[in-house]
Amino acid sequence: MKNQSIKQVVAIGVGAALFVVIGMISIPTPVPNTNIQLQYALQSLLSIIFGPVVGLFVGLIGHAVKDAVSGGLWWTWIIASGLFGLAVGLFRKYIRVTQGVFELKDIVFFNLIQVVANALVWGVLAPLGDVAIYHEAAEKVFAQGIVAGIGNAVTVAIAGTLLLLAYSRTQTRSGSLKKD
C-alpha cells in the first residue's frame, strides 16, 4: 500500500507539472477566452492508470498553477478540471490498459465516459459556478463551457485514446505468459 501511495504522489506531481506545461499550448476558438486545451488527454491517461484521486489532484493543482502563471485564478474552472479527472478515474477498473488490453470496447467505453464527463463539467458545472460565484452572464459562460467541452472531448478522444493505446502496449497482457 505504501508503494502505491508513493506512486500516486509522484504521478500527481509529475502530472500537475505536465498539465501546466502542456496547458501553455492552446488553440484559440471563436469564443472569447476559450481555447482548445491538450492537457486533458494526459490527465485522462493518469486518471485511468492511477485512479480518481490522482486525476482530481492533477487537474486541481495543474490548473491552479497554470492559471496563477497566466495571471489569474478562475476557481470554477480549476474545480471543473479536477472533477473531470475524478470522473474519468472512477471508471478505471472498466478500462483494461494496465492489463495490456485496450480493444474497441475499451476505447468506446473510455470515450463515452470522457465525453459525458466533459459535457458535465464544462457544459454545466463550470458555467453554473461562473454565474453563481462570479456573477458572469449566463449566455457567455455557457457558450464558453460548451465550446471548451466539445474541444476537450475531441482532443481527449484523439490524443487520450492514442496515449492509452500506447500505454497498454507497454503492459504485459493478462495470461500472455506461459510456463515452459
Side-chain angles (χ1 to χ4, degrees):
M1 190 66 170
K2 182 180 177 187
N3 192 29
Q4 184 64 20
S5 60
I6 291 170
K7 284 182 182 179
Q8 288 179 315
V9 169
V10 171
I12 290 168
V14 171
L18 288 171
F19 190 102
V20 173
V21 172
I22 296 168
M24 296 300 167
I25 303 164
S26 58
I27 303 161
T29 68
V31 177
N33 300 318
T34 309
N35 299 306
I36 296 172
Q37 303 285 305
L38 306 173
Q39 69 270 28
Y40 295 102
L42 172 74
Q43 183 188 20
S44 63
L45 170 74
L46 296 174
S47 297
I48 295 298
I49 295 171
F50 295 104
V53 172
V54 170
L56 172 72
F57 284 110
V58 164
L60 288 175
I61 296 167
H63 198 140
V65 171
K66 183 178 94 49
D67 275 8
V69 169
S70 300
L73 299 171
W74 204 257
W75 287 106
T76 50
W77 287 60
I78 292 167
I79 292 167
S81 286
L83 292 175
F84 172 75
L86 176 73
V88 171
L90 287 172
F91 294 92
R92 74 184 284 239
K93 66 180 176 182
Y94 302 105
I95 299 166
R96 305 169 295 164
V97 294
T98 57
Q99 291 115 30
V101 179
F102 195 57
E103 297 169 344
L104 183 60
K105 76 177 191 174
D106 302 284
I107 293 169
V108 169
F109 188 72
F110 165 70
N111 279 294
L112 178 66
I113 293 308
Q114 69 89 1
V115 165
V116 170
N118 270 306
L120 229 122
V121 301
W122 304 116
V124 179
L125 297 177
L128 284 176
D130 286 352
V131 170
I133 296 168
Y134 298 114
H135 307 290
E136 292 285 332
E139 183 178 289
K140 176 185 107 174
V141 293
F142 277 97
Q144 290 173 330
I146 290 167
V147 169
I150 291 169
N152 292 346
V154 170
T155 59
V156 172
I158 297 167
T161 299
L162 291 173
L163 286 170
L164 286 164
L165 187 59
Y167 179 80
S168 72
R169 291 186 176 167
T170 69
Q171 303 302 296
T172 303
R173 193 176 191 120
S174 299
S176 67
L177 298 177
K178 295 180 180 131
K179 188 175 181 181
D180 286 334

